[in-house]
Amino acid sequence: VWIVDNLEDLSSSYPQIAQAAAQLRENEVVAFPTETVYGLGANAKSDEAVGKIYEAKGRPSDNPLIVHIASIKQLHEVAAHVPVYVDKLIEALWPGPITFVLPKKAGLSDRVTAGLDTVAVRMPDHPLALALIKEANLPVAAPSANLSGKPSPTRASHVFDDLNGRIAGIVDGGSTGVGVESTVLDCTQQIPVILRPGGVTKEQLQALIGEVTVDQALTDETQAPKSPGMKYTHYAPAAQMTIVDGTPSFLQGLISEAKSEGKKVGVLSAKETAGNYEADVVFSCGSRANMHTVASELYDVLRAFNETDVDCIFSESFSSAGVGQAVMNRLMKAAGHRLIKE
Ligand code: TXA
Ligand code: MG
């Protein structure tokens, strides 16, 4: 039995993985940490249990869930066919922040796959998540443990803020590391397609297996995304956010203009440039020197703006290389694709 060693008050009633696993087996929903974001888990074989996930999150029922597993044996219990290139990726990247979309096998609740003939599967790289799945001895369906539309939770307190009273419990593992969700890779064709950029980068995938394509909808807003979840607005703070691609002095010009209209202004900035801005609130979000730190802090900062009274938020723009692709994808969604170029 795992003892959760990072206890905050809210989780003191959930010290043991054994208890959380028992609740999963009783078709209750339990939040747990992964290396990316917190997940909201339920027995993937039970319609009743999976129904509770959609209900707790207020999630549209046409948006399928990722099935979390703790062994390769479980992969073959849920997927009907695993291409050779996926074996290679699994060897190098699992447990880790990548989800494979594969032809599904019978046995899972239809509500997990939202009526599709494919299933999304991932083995998370977190000792508590793996222990919970093993102890429950079930495939565990788990979306991010936020209310639908909010940023994904990277701390147990985020889960508590969104879902207290709506779920059976939270396993508190402290802050998650990666900070953005897993990469979702469609592996139903000869050449895999990135449906959602995430913790594993396109560059990593290309180095391992050669050709990888990216769903056109990720770069062209007019296209319908191939992943049902990618069409929904997400992550948006209450105040209107705009991404600014330009110098700090250009961004300061926009701040001053908004202030002259009587607005309270927030800024999301890299640590390196945060000192350049005179605004009502300036939150720094990681360092440009290491984009992993930006990814790791992003959702906490987006949530923190809701604790302030700013009317609008300007965010610096970041490089789309490596994990920056996931960061910019989430920032653009949070901004409703509002982008100002210098
Ligand atoms: O890092 C993560 O992936 C986190 C942690 C908890 O593992 N989970 C997560 O789940 O982000 P969720 O439900 O918030 O996002 C799952 C995404 C959605 O965009 C959904 O549409 C897509 O995966 N998806 C799930 N099944 C799919 C399928 N069969 N075909 C295409 N897309 C699928
Ligand atoms: Mg989500």
Side-chain angles (χ1 to χ4, degrees):
V1 170
W2 281 84
I3 305 296
V4 181
D5 59 8
N6 191 334
L7 287 180
E8 292 172 21
D9 274 353
L10 64 94
S11 64
S12 57
S13 58
Y14 273 87
Q16 295 180 345
I17 288 295
Q19 188 178 351
Q23 293 198 292
L24 288 178
R25 295 200 61 84
E26 286 156 15
N27 293 339
E28 293 299 331
V29 291
V30 174
F32 62 95
T34 79
E35 81 281 26
T36 58
V37 301
Y38 276 75
L40 183 60
N43 176 1
K45 295 177 173 176
S46 159
D47 286 345
E48 181 204 356
V50 174
K52 288 180 185 174
I53 290 179
Y54 286 94
E55 200 175 318
K57 282 183 59 97
R59 182 179 177 107
S61 61
D62 71 342
N63 189 3
L65 308 175
I66 295 172
V67 175
H68 293 66
I69 58 171
S71 69
I72 296 299
K73 184 168 166 268
Q74 279 185 310
L75 169 66
H76 295 287
E77 285 165 10
V78 300
H81 172 69
V82 179
V84 174
Y85 69 80
V86 173
D87 283 330
K88 269 194 208 164
L89 294 176
I90 286 174
E91 179 75 30
L93 302 170
W94 264 8
I98 184 158
T99 297
F100 302 109
V101 174
L102 297 163
K104 77 170 173 188
K105 227 180 210 174
L108 295 173
S109 163
D110 278 341
R111 300 174 89 164
V112 170
T113 51
L116 299 175
D117 53 13
T118 54
V119 60
V121 194
R122 144 168 148 83
M123 191 188 293
D125 187 14
H126 194 293
L128 293 176
L130 292 172
L132 177 63
I133 299 163
K134 275 189 188 140
E135 182 86 16
N137 195 23
L138 289 170
V140 175
S144 49
N146 50 285
L147 280 176
S148 218
K150 292 252 205 137
S152 296
T154 53
R155 300 169 187 265
S157 61
H158 298 160
V159 180
F160 186 81
D161 290 345
D162 279 13
L163 299 177
N164 180 33
R166 305 169 75 99
I167 62 176
I170 305 170
V171 175
D172 182 355
S175 289
T176 61
V178 176
V180 290
E181 300 87 339
S182 64
T183 302
V184 177
L185 192 69
D186 179 353
C187 301
T188 58
Q189 297 157 53
Q190 209 140 24
I191 294 165
V193 186
I194 296 176
L195 304 182
R196 177 178 75 179
V200 167
T201 66
K202 185 177 69 183
E203 293 87 339
Q204 277 176 286
L205 296 174
Q206 285 167 336
L208 287 164
I209 55 165
E211 198 177 356
V212 174
T213 60
V214 176
D215 185 2
Q216 293 232 311
L218 291 176
T219 46
D220 177 356
E221 290 170 59
T222 62
Q223 305 255 339
K226 293 205 179 75
S227 179
M230 294 297 281
K231 69 174 179 282
Y232 293 106
T233 342
H234 251 90
Y235 316 117
Q240 176 174 293
M241 186 156 121
T242 305
I243 314 293
V244 182
D245 184 3
T247 58
S249 63
F250 177 73
L251 199 155
Q252 182 59 48
L254 296 170
I255 298 168
S256 304
E257 196 180 310
K259 280 174 83 80
S260 73
E261 292 164 7
K263 289 184 183 153
K264 288 212 168 173
V265 183
V267 174
L268 187 159
S269 156
K271 170 173 103 183
E272 288 86 348
T273 36
N276 290 296
Y277 303 115
E278 264 180 62
D280 297 286
V281 174
V282 180
F283 284 143
S284 74
C285 180
S287 160
R288 266 174 213 283
N290 180 356
M291 279 303 289
H292 292 285
T293 62
V294 179
S296 177
E297 294 172 29
L298 181 65
Y299 293 154
D300 191 45
V301 171
L302 289 179
R303 279 177 179 260
F305 277 115
N306 286 343
E307 310 288 308
T308 72
D309 60 351
V310 297
D311 302 302
C312 62
I313 301 162
F314 293 108
S315 171
E316 290 184 344
S317 181
F318 293 87
S319 155
S320 284
V323 76
Q325 188 171 26
V327 168
M328 283 308 292
N329 171 264
R330 307 308 192 271
L331 268 178
M332 287 296 277
K333 283 185 158 216
H337 291 89
R338 266 179 303 277
L339 172 74
I340 298 181
K341 286 195 185 191
E342 183 165 4

